[in-house]
Amino acid sequence: MFWLILCSFLLPFILASLFRKNLFLGEPVIDPSSFLVIRLGWSGYLFYLFYLLIIILILMNLEKILRGTTGLHRQAIKYLIFGLGSILAIRFYTGSSYLLFKSYNLAHESINAGGLIVGGLLIIPSFRRMKILDIDIYLSPSFLYGSFTILIAGIYLLCVGVIVQLIGSFSIGGSIYFKVFLVFLAFIGLCILLFSDRIRVKTKQFISLHLRRPHYDYRKVWEGFTQTTASLINVKALCNAIAKFISETFEVMSVTVWLYDEAKDRLRLGGSTAFFRKEGEILKTFSSQGIKELISGIKEQDRPVDIKGKNLEWLKNLKESYPKFFESMKIRWLTPLKSGKSFIGFITLDERISKVPFSIEDFNLLKTISDQSARSLLSLQLFEEFEQVKEMEAFQTMSSFVVHDLKNLASTLSLTVMNLPIHFDNPEFRKDALEVISNSVEKIKKMCNELSLLSQKFELRPLRIDLNKLIEEALSSLNGVGALNKDLHPLPELNLDPEQIKKVITNLILNSKEATTGHEPIEIQTGQAGDWIFLLVKDYGCGMSEDFIENSLFRPFKTTKKHGMGIGLFHSKRIVEAHGGRIEVESQEGKGSTFRVMLPVKMER
């Protein structure tokens, strides 16, 4: 096959180059259709014979390629095969007619041209599907701006020429002097158009967005920004990360993020790559009125502001009033931090290290980063405010519990103290008074111990121990717990912290006891289910509602008991989870509750 293909391509070349005098015979003639016809010589006849052989070989390979493809690959190349095949089929038809009539007819070239157009139209969809036509062509900025200016000038003068021609056609002011004056006005208008700052900026923006090759790989920039800021949950850390990212992206040494505190109407230093002093020391050259003017001016801006180039009245006044501030702060650019209607602050940037001015593309990227930074900062500020509200709510809830219990203790102690002078000589009264005082002290100690659990950071000290043994030890320390039904199955030893797990057992049993009237037994069961060891504590007491289980259970200061803070279950859950386990709950109001502690057989050390 290789030699056949080589000969098919090589022999026509030899015939056309070495025997070109024998390609055609005689002089060309005009046929009845007015087309040029010339007879083929022996080398011309052989040339078209090999020409048809090449077409057949190519068509066979195209068919083989199409049959060998499936799915999306076939969809991509199908129209390419059809397009090439149609071009070759037309060529085969015209070539075979040359051999049939032993003459070359120029009329057939129009048929070849039609086939080429149809084939090209079929090939274009394949190029689009294979993305062959996705080619980015970028020209130099100087060429783009020059070409764009020439284009505008050409369009403008063309319009003027059309107007002048229309005036001449309709004999409107046909004087040559009027036409010259009109051209002069056109020239003045063109100059105004080319030197317009607004049009120049719009032109640069259009070229930067649509014609110039991007300087930045925006996907990488955005991924970098997201990775840098996504995991930060502290405003100070986020501001420092934003300042550092902008500094590295735009090659600017000094970048500072300023946050606006609306409640106090003042600026706060968020983060900086150049300043590490407090905002009071940095802003000492700036008066409070100057700060208000600066904030008021930046609020009105939607894009980065060039300190040296932007002709804004408020900025001009500030630079004249506080020249040292802008010099000492190394401010060349200001970009607002705005999210919707919320003004978060602003970012200041110094000159680039290379002294290269910011381009339209730089400004667009800086604005995008600033807008995203503003949204991130606003979300973080709202989150911190929400956390503060939650902390205040927790403090108020804790205060109400503590104050309520202390108030009851204070009332009891106050009544005892009031009666003490009257019944001091009564031994029975003194005994009861000491008992009241002792009980009150114990209750205060218990309250302190429960509250200390909230902030306690425990460290597990696991030992190889039997869970059933811990249950027996916990029960022995509880006197008068009531009726118990124990069903403790043999268990393998686990890696457990004995003291912490006993706290869990004790808390679950005491909770069950308090939930019952005292007559119903409490069931305690242990066993193994696959890779888990379970401890089940079940009571037939008051139970809990589904709403309480879903929204309040295991949360501090949420409890169904008359006397309690809801801290015990919260702490028990933390202990079990620290062992790699979990607590499962089933409960119905009026029927009782079941707490199931699940502990892994193999706990990671």
Side-chain angles (χ1 to χ4, degrees), residues 42-311:
W42 68 268
S43 63
Y45 192 88
L46 288 176
F47 176 87
Y48 277 104
L49 185 62
F50 285 113
Y51 175 74
L52 294 182
L53 179 60
I54 292 171
I55 290 176
I56 292 172
L57 289 174
I58 295 174
L59 288 173
M60 288 173 60
N61 277 280
L62 290 177
E63 181 187 4
K64 185 178 179 180
I65 291 171
L66 186 61
R67 289 178 180 275
T69 55
T70 57
L72 293 176
H73 193 198
R74 169 174 284 191
Q75 290 294 323
I77 69 168
K78 178 173 64 177
Y79 287 101
L80 176 63
I81 301 294
F82 289 162
L84 292 174
S86 62
I87 294 172
L88 293 172
I90 290 293
R91 296 280 177 175
F92 185 84
Y93 165 74
T94 56
S96 61
S97 68
Y98 297 155
L99 293 179
L100 182 64
F101 297 103
K102 296 182 180 181
S103 61
Y104 172 80
N105 193 333
L106 193 61
H108 290 163
E109 291 305 321
S110 60
I111 300 175
N112 289 334
L116 187 62
I117 293 172
V118 173
L121 293 175
L122 288 172
I123 290 172
I124 289 173
S126 250
F127 280 7
R128 182 178 59 81
R129 291 183 179 183
M130 292 188 292
K131 298 183 179 180
I132 293 175
L133 297 178
D134 291 351
I135 301 172
D136 296 326
I137 300 174
Y138 300 103
L139 303 175
S140 67
S142 58
F143 178 82
L144 284 172
Y145 293 132
S147 302
F148 212 75
T149 302
I150 293 171
L151 178 63
I152 293 173
I155 294 173
Y156 189 82
L157 293 175
L158 179 63
C159 294
V160 171
V162 172
I163 293 171
V164 171
Q165 188 64 36
L166 290 174
I167 291 173
S169 300
F170 291 99
S171 301
I172 302 173
S175 170
I176 186 63
Y177 301 107
F178 176 75
K179 294 180 181 179
V180 171
F181 179 69
L182 189 61
V183 172
F184 172 73
L185 289 180
F187 178 74
I188 297 298
L190 179 62
C191 291
I192 294 172
L193 185 69
L194 294 178
F195 284 93
S196 170
D197 290 337
R198 181 173 296 178
I199 292 176
R200 188 177 73 252
V201 171
K202 293 290 184 183
T203 302
K204 287 184 177 180
Q205 289 179 349
F206 178 82
I207 291 174
S208 178
L209 287 174
H210 301 289
L211 300 178
R212 284 188 62 187
R213 180 175 183 175
H215 175 70
Y216 300 98
D217 186 337
Y218 293 101
R219 182 179 61 83
K220 288 185 178 180
V221 171
W222 200 246
E223 285 180 357
F225 181 80
T226 304
Q227 290 175 0
T228 303
T229 60
S231 61
L232 300 177
I233 57 173
N234 178 271
V235 172
K236 189 75 175 177
L238 179 59
C239 288
N240 282 319
I242 291 169
K244 183 181 178 183
F245 182 82
I246 292 176
S247 174
E248 293 174 351
T249 302
F250 296 101
E251 298 178 349
V252 177
M253 291 291 290
S254 176
V255 179
T256 304
V257 179
W258 290 95
L259 301 179
Y260 175 57
D261 190 341
E262 190 174 5
K264 298 180 180 179
D265 193 25
R266 68 181 182 88
L267 289 176
R268 182 162 55 91
L269 180 63
S272 178
T273 60
F275 303 102
F276 304 96
R277 295 170 290 171
K278 293 183 179 179
E279 54 265 22
E281 298 177 9
I282 298 174
L283 297 174
K284 63 183 178 182
T285 57
F286 222 38
S287 67
S288 58
Q289 182 61 32
I291 293 174
K292 289 181 180 179
E293 291 178 11
L294 178 63
I295 293 171
S296 177
I298 297 177
K299 279 184 177 180
E300 303 299 322
Q301 305 302 311
D302 293 322
R303 297 185 62 82
V305 178
D306 184 358
I307 296 296
K308 294 183 180 179
K310 200 74 173 178
N311 190 18

Side-chain angles (χ1 to χ4, degrees), residues 386-400:
F386 177 70
E387 287 294 310
Q388 291 175 0
V389 171
K390 285 179 64 179
E391 288 176 3
M392 182 57 66
E393 180 186 358
F395 177 75
Q396 291 173 347
T397 304
M398 182 184 69
S399 300
S400 63

